[in-house]
Amino acid sequence: MPTITSIMRTQAEDLWNKSFNHPFIKELSKGTLPMDTFRYYLKQDHYYLNNFSILHKRIADKIDEPQIKQFLIAGSEGLNDGENEIRETFFKELTITAEEMGTTPIAPNAYSYVSHMYHELNEGTTASACTALLPCYWLYNEIGKQLIADGSPIELYQQFIETYDSPEFTEATNQMIQIIDQFGEQASDGERQRMITAFVRSSYYELNFWEMAYVHEEWHN
Ligand SMILES: Cc1ncc(C[n+]2csc(CCO)c2C)c(N)n1
């Protein structure tokens, strides 16, 4: 029987290809992405990362299995990769201050993505809540691996790419895939379906995260 993660990956294939080919990613690699757009992305991603950390902790609280619990706690503390440190450097270099963050509202797609993850936590199962986190690791790891060959002529973009191609991050991604496969083996058919849907929805919001940043999405009346 195919693993549940391979089924998820197949079902999200079109969305993932659209992410790989999104102008945000293409221009990041070419070095032509406007810095203002990257800045917008970083500010919105700050909200996402804060919530991502909270979600790891809340899901860990529901899990008894020591290895999975430990992995999620490490994730909530930003220990699974170099992401937190690099973001601090980016914020300093682009002079994104706490004050600026305080006056930047979370944009519609970032809000919807985060809401989807809390919805799975509150209304789904532990497995579906955990699955909603998987595209975040896996898609970024695949993007990192694809972009690393050419890199980017812009130092900041190059550092961004390297974060997601690192051996530590690849290891964390593989662990997360294994965790979801383990949940999938224990789940009923209905639960498996809920997990697959959670994965595809997160993949949808990942794609739209690039688009949101590319068009500088705002709430409009
Ligand atoms: C919208 C969005 N999706 C995924 C990531 C990547 N990411 C965020 S947290 C985490 C795991 C532990 O640090 C990873 C890989 C991102 N930055 N922003």
Side-chain angles (χ1 to χ4, degrees):
M1 208 168 70
T3 58
I4 195 162
T5 56
S6 65
I7 297 170
M8 290 167 175
R9 182 70 183 76
T10 304
Q11 291 205 11
E13 182 70 12
D14 289 351
L15 291 168
W16 281 43
N17 284 338
K18 284 181 195 160
S19 266
F20 299 147
N21 291 313
H22 195 278
F24 185 104
I25 295 297
K26 294 285 175 201
E27 292 176 23
L28 185 89
S29 172
K30 272 190 280 181
T32 54
L33 184 73
M35 194 52 78
D36 206 34
T37 297
F38 192 61
R39 221 174 167 278
Y40 174 103
Y41 166 85
L42 288 176
K43 288 197 290 173
Q44 289 304 322
D45 211 38
H46 190 68
Y47 288 117
Y48 176 84
L49 292 174
N50 283 346
N51 284 292
F52 202 79
S53 168
I54 295 167
L55 282 150
H56 269 71
K57 175 77 180 59
R58 299 239 174 110
I59 298 169
D61 287 344
K62 290 174 176 256
I63 290 176
D64 293 324
E65 212 279 304
Q67 262 182 316
I68 302 180
K69 197 178 184 78
Q70 202 41 53
F71 176 85
L72 291 167
I73 292 170
S76 91
E77 291 166 358
L79 301 177
N80 288 340
D81 57 39
E83 196 164 43
N84 285 353
E85 292 143 55
I86 200 79
R87 293 305 168 106
E88 260 181 50
T89 315
F90 289 168
F91 269 57
K92 272 198 201 117
E93 270 185 45
L94 298 178
T95 56
I96 304 173
T97 59
E99 196 190 358
E100 183 176 350
M101 273 311 302
T103 55
T104 305
I106 187 168
N109 182 71
Y111 179 77
S112 300
Y113 191 1
V114 166
S115 301
H116 156 60
M117 293 190 288
Y118 282 109
H119 182 70
E120 288 309 318
L121 175 71
N122 296 323
E123 306 296 334
T125 62
T126 306
S128 74
C130 214
T131 304
L133 310 178
L134 177 59
C136 156
Y137 286 86
W138 198 359
L139 179 75
Y140 272 55
N141 191 220
E142 289 214 358
I143 289 175
K145 285 185 197 161
Q146 283 185 18
L147 297 191
I148 200 72
D150 291 337
S152 174
I154 304 290
E155 176 62 22
L156 223 59
Y157 299 168
Q158 175 67 20
Q159 285 175 312
F160 179 83
I161 293 166
E162 284 170 7
T163 318
Y164 300 113
D165 173 63
S166 75
E168 297 76 28
F169 182 58
T170 302
E171 172 57 25
T173 302
N174 291 339
Q175 270 183 276
M176 193 62 173
I177 291 170
Q178 270 177 20
I179 289 171
I180 301 306
D181 279 331
Q182 212 173 311
F183 277 127
E185 281 164 21
Q186 294 153 5
S188 66
D189 285 352
E191 283 166 344
R192 282 171 66 87
Q193 195 45 57
R194 179 146 197 153
M195 290 170 73
I196 294 167
T197 302
F199 183 91
V200 174
R201 286 190 182 150
S202 288
S203 300
Y204 174 92
Y205 288 125
E206 283 290 350
L207 168 61
N208 279 298
F209 215 90
W210 308 122
E211 182 62 15
M212 170 194 76
Y214 201 70
V215 303
H216 297 215
E217 187 190 24
E218 282 178 18
W219 297 98
H220 50 74
N221 298 317

